[in-house]
Amino acid sequence: MAVPSGAKATLPDVETSTGVDKTPRTDRGRRTLRAILDAAAVEFGGRGFHETSIVAITQRAGVALGSFYTYFESKETLFRALVRDMSAQVGAVGAAAVHDCETVLDGEQAVLASFTNFAREHRELYRIIDESEFVDPASYRAHYQGAAARIGARLREGAERGELRADVGEVEAWAIMGINVFLGLRFGVMDNNADLDAVASAANALLRRGLTR
């Protein structure tokens, strides 16, 4: 899964049910794992978990069936790794977006703009994350808990710098995440033509000023 310029792409750890770490150590292995994950994103995103086969994934990835089992025990373990991979990519996009921002709210606007662009380029993200609620609930929870934790850390940093109220916390972090998730769905996935910078600016005005007159 490609990420925008400035975002660092990573690979998820690959572990078996016995706890053996199967994360590749060579460049060739990392390229193979990346190909499998990218192919899985397309297949799961287009067909859904239950209708996707391991053979279809390996064929799309251009790798041998045996290469799949070098890294994954089953379709389920691949799906879990893919959700972790997508979560990491979303986190990398956000980290790159806030890198040069002067204030925390400037950063939140940049994060939303970058995320909605990412969602537009990777529409499979929503289907896979939504399906993970039923295929692997722990991965589903970890995805959103991780995203909220990143937002919460940024808010606390803003509070420590005196930019935000001292009492900002989990409620605000989850509220901002909800805004990002549904604006990404509405304007990134459902709309090919929306001005995503304008969407992020409008949402940021809501954070800064609220709704009261």
Side-chain angles (χ1 to χ4, degrees):
M1 178 180 291
V3 296
S5 176
K8 183 180 179 181
T10 59
L11 287 169
D13 294 335
V14 180
E15 293 186 356
T16 66
S17 58
T18 57
V20 176
D21 184 1
K22 301 181 76 171
T23 305
R25 301 288 185 260
T26 66
D27 288 340
R28 180 180 179 182
R30 285 187 283 270
R31 288 194 298 270
T32 299
L33 178 56
R34 179 79 268 158
I36 293 171
L37 288 166
D38 289 348
V42 175
E43 292 293 326
F44 286 137
R47 301 171 184 267
F49 175 81
H50 295 290
E51 297 301 319
T52 294
S53 69
I54 293 173
V55 170
I57 292 169
T58 56
Q59 287 178 342
R60 180 177 291 276
V63 303
L65 186 60
S67 296
F68 176 91
Y69 290 104
T70 297
Y71 303 108
F72 301 107
E73 294 179 333
S74 64
K75 188 169 68 170
E76 288 78 7
T77 56
L78 168 60
F79 189 84
R80 286 195 292 272
L82 179 61
V83 174
R84 292 197 306 273
D85 181 56
M86 288 185 156
S87 295
Q89 301 297 349
V90 170
V93 167
V98 302
H99 187 264
D100 294 322
C101 294
E102 294 185 359
T103 71
V104 65
L105 291 182
D106 288 344
E108 292 311 305
Q109 180 171 336
V111 167
L112 177 54
S114 294
F115 172 71
T116 50
N117 272 291
F118 183 76
R120 179 174 286 176
E121 294 172 0
H122 302 285
R123 286 174 165 83
E124 68 275 10
L125 172 69
Y126 277 85
R127 178 169 185 173
I128 291 168
I129 297 301
D130 286 350
E131 196 167 22
S132 72
E133 180 181 6
F134 307 100
V135 175
D136 190 62
S139 295
Y140 176 80
R141 290 174 63 89
H143 171 74
Y144 285 113
Q145 288 170 339
R150 292 190 295 269
I151 296 170
R154 295 195 296 265
L155 296 182
R156 287 191 298 274
E157 183 178 347
E160 291 168 1
R161 295 201 302 254
E163 297 174 17
L164 304 177
R165 300 193 324 262
D167 62 346
V168 293
E170 187 176 18
V171 170
E172 289 80 6
W174 279 80
I176 291 172
M177 181 176 66
I179 289 172
N180 294 352
V181 168
F182 282 98
L183 290 180
L185 177 62
R186 170 61 184 87
F187 295 104
V189 176
M190 295 180 178
D191 190 334
N192 289 324
N193 301 309
D195 183 337
L196 300 182
D197 288 328
V199 170
S201 179
N204 200 252
L206 176 62
L207 295 183
R208 295 174 187 272
R209 299 193 297 270
L211 294 174
T212 55
R213 295 182 63 180

